Amino acid sequence: MRYPKKLEQHADAILSSRRREAIREQEEVQNWLRTTHPAILGCQNKLSRLLARLGIAKIRRSSCDKEIEAQIDATRKELHDLMTDAQMSEDDLLPKYTCPECQDRGYIDGRPCPCRQTILNRLVYEQLCDVSPAQSCSFDNFDLHYYVDHRQDMAKTLKSCERYAKDFSKNSKNLLFYGDPGLGKTHLSLAIAGEVARSGHLVMYASAPHLMAQLEDAKFRQSEAGMEYREIIYGCDLLVIDDLGAELVTRYTQSEVYDLINTRLNIGIPTIINTNLTMNGIYKLYTNRVASRIAGTYTEVQFQGRDIRLQKRVEEMEAHEQKAQTSHIWRAATSYPCGKNPQDDGRAVM
Ligand SMILES: [Zn+2]
C-alpha cells in the first residue's frame, strides 16, 4: 500500500525517536552500573569481546572456537550470578525497544516491519480526523430517535453500514448515500471511514468542492505534493466523496469526476459518495457518461426523515425557552414588593 510521503517521513521520525530514547535509557543504565556494579559492566564487556572473537574465529575457520565457546559459557554464568546478586536480569542491560523485532528501525532485512505499518495506519486515521469530524461520528452515537417515521429503515441502514466497515476489503461495494441535507449521510460515511482506517486501510475523505479544487490545482500546477495527492485520491483503499453536486460543475469537473470514478472502478477499489441529489438529479447535473457509470456500479442507500440539524436546533431552543421560563417563575416567586430586600427586615430567606 502506498502512503503519502509526508506520513512515511513522519512514521520514520517516530521510529528514530523511539530508538534514540531506548538507547539513551540503556546508556543511563550503563552509567549507573559503572558506579554501583562495575563488576557487571566488566563482565558484560568481556562477553562482548569474546563474542566478537568467536565471530572472527568462525570466519577464519580457526580451531580455537571451541575454547572461546567454553569461555563464553563461563562468562555468561558469571554475569548471570552477578546479576542475580544485584537482583537484576540480563534483559536489564539491553535497550528497551518498543518493537524488539526490528529494534525500532522499521525494517527487517530491508522489508518493512509490521510496527511501521501500525504507525502509518494511526497517522492516516489522525489525518482523517484533522480534515473531518471523524472522531465525533461513530456508529454508537448515530441517534435513531430523530428518524421518527423511518426508524426501521434507518436502523437497517445503520446495521448494513456497520457490517460494511467490519467486513471491508478491496472488493467491497461502491455506495451512493443520497437524501436531503441533514439526514446523517456524512455521519455514517465518516463512521465507516474511521472504522476502516483503524483496521489498517488507507482512507481519504474530501468534500466534492475541495476535492475538485485540489485535483485541478494538482493537474495544472504539476507540483510534487499535488501530484502525490492526486495519486493517493485515485489509489487509496477507500475514498469518501462528500456532497457530490455541491461543486461548481464545469466541463473540467465533469471529466475529472468521470476519470476518478472510472479509474477506481477499473482498479477495483471502493468509493462512497454522499449527495443531496437523487439519481435523476445526477443525470440532470452531470453528463450521461458520469451518471450511468454511477447508476450501473454503485449501490444506492436512501436516507429519509426530517433534517436532524433542524430538529436539534428546535430542541435547543425549546430547552433554552424552558430554562428561561423556570428562571422567570423563580424570580417571580422570590421577589418582594417595592424592591425591598428581605434582609433589611432581619428575616431569613429560605
Ligand atoms: Zn518493528
Side-chain angles (χ1 to χ4, degrees):
M1 188 196 313
R2 185 184 150 81
Y3 289 93
K5 204 191 281 173
K6 242 196 239 168
L7 294 192
E8 298 249 10
Q9 287 165 346
H10 192 168
D12 289 336
I14 290 172
L15 283 161
S16 300
S17 143
R18 284 181 181 175
R19 190 172 157 77
R20 268 200 312 276
E21 187 57 20
I23 291 170
R24 191 192 61 73
E25 280 176 7
Q26 189 223 11
E27 282 169 0
E28 271 181 16
V29 172
Q30 298 274 334
N31 288 338
W32 175 74
L33 282 175
R34 200 162 286 130
T35 51
T36 57
H37 301 83
I40 290 180
L41 210 59
C43 199
Q44 195 195 8
N45 291 339
K46 185 178 167 190
L47 184 60
S48 303
R49 284 196 301 274
L50 285 168
L51 287 167
R53 271 181 60 198
L54 181 66
I56 294 166
K58 284 204 182 288
I59 292 167
R60 290 183 179 159
R61 293 170 191 258
S62 158
S63 57
C64 61
D65 58 346
K66 291 278 174 274
E67 188 194 323
I68 301 171
E69 274 170 2
Q71 286 181 35
I72 287 175
D73 286 346
T75 312
R76 276 206 170 116
K77 188 176 176 317
E78 188 187 346
L79 180 62
H80 177 79
D81 291 346
L82 286 168
M83 298 292 288
T84 309
D85 286 349
Q87 295 185 321
M88 290 172 76
S89 82
E90 282 163 55
D91 284 351
D92 293 332
L93 300 175
L94 302 171
K96 302 280 178 298
Y97 295 113
T98 309
C99 175
E101 278 73 29
C102 70
Q103 301 190 339
D104 295 339
R105 287 185 169 91
Y107 291 90
I108 302 169
D109 299 331
R111 304 183 70 165
C113 177
C115 73
R116 190 170 185 274
Q117 173 103 18
T118 306
I119 295 172
L120 279 163
N121 294 341
R122 182 170 55 79
L123 294 177
V124 168
Y125 180 63
E126 284 170 7
Q127 182 179 266
L128 183 71
C129 294
D130 278 350
V131 296
S132 68
Q135 248 165 343
S136 57
C137 295
S138 69
F139 294 119
D140 290 340
N141 66 8
F142 187 76
D143 196 344
L144 285 166
H145 104 266
Y146 289 109
Y147 300 89
V148 180
D149 301 322
H150 303 277
R151 198 163 296 153
Q152 269 194 338
D153 289 337
M154 288 312 296
K156 274 188 202 163
T157 301
L158 173 63
K159 275 269 160 273
S160 55
C161 286
E162 281 179 291
R163 242 190 339 266
Y164 182 93
K166 190 170 159 278
D167 302 336
F168 180 82
S169 76
K170 291 193 176 178
N171 301 320
S172 293
K173 293 178 195 167
N174 299 295
L175 301 177
L176 179 74
F177 287 175
Y178 74 98
D180 292 337
L183 294 181
K185 301 187 292 293
T186 302
H187 186 121
L188 277 190
S189 56
L190 278 174
I192 293 175
E195 201 71 32
V196 172
R198 274 192 294 272
S199 70
H201 295 89
L202 180 53
V203 182
M204 295 296 281
Y205 163 92
S207 71
H210 177 78
L211 181 63
M212 287 303 122
Q214 292 286 104
L215 291 177
E216 188 172 6
D217 192 59
K219 193 167 187 172
F220 294 111
R221 280 178 194 260
Q222 298 271 314
S223 69
E224 197 189 334
M227 295 312 288
E228 186 190 60
Y229 178 79
R230 194 178 171 81
E231 197 181 320
I232 291 163
I233 287 290
Y234 271 70
C236 60
D237 298 332
L238 175 65
L239 172 65
V240 180
I241 306 175
D242 198 23
D243 218 0
L244 186 78
E247 76 282 11
L248 180 67
V249 179
T250 61
R251 271 174 68 184
Y252 165 76
T253 54
Q254 292 270 10
S255 128
E256 189 71 69
V257 170
Y258 179 79
D259 273 355
L260 180 56
I261 287 171
N262 200 41
T263 305
R264 293 184 59 84
L265 281 169
N266 289 341
I267 303 172
I269 40 179
T271 306
I272 297 175
I273 294 177
N274 296 332
T275 181
N276 299 338
L277 301 167
T278 58
M279 209 52 238
N280 276 343
I282 292 176
Y283 268 101
K284 277 184 197 157
L285 193 62
Y286 296 95
T287 56
N288 262 356
R289 207 161 72 120
V290 173
S292 60
R293 205 74 181 103
I294 295 175
T297 53
Y298 277 63
T299 301
E300 293 179 35
V301 182
Q302 187 179 14
F303 282 64
Q304 300 177 85
R306 282 168 47 222
D307 190 331
I308 292 168
R309 284 185 288 244
L310 213 61
Q311 290 188 59
K312 282 184 178 170
R313 218 169 300 148
V314 170
E315 278 179 0
E316 275 167 22
M317 281 163 68
E318 282 171 353
H320 187 258
E321 183 81 1
Q322 204 171 5
K323 204 174 155 192
Q325 267 181 14
T326 312
S327 147
H328 178 71
I329 291 166
W330 170 251
R331 272 204 309 276
T334 55
S335 65
Y336 288 81
C338 313
K340 248 188 172 179
N341 183 337
Q343 302 237 340
D344 293 345
D345 300 326
R347 285 179 293 171
V349 180
M350 300 299 287

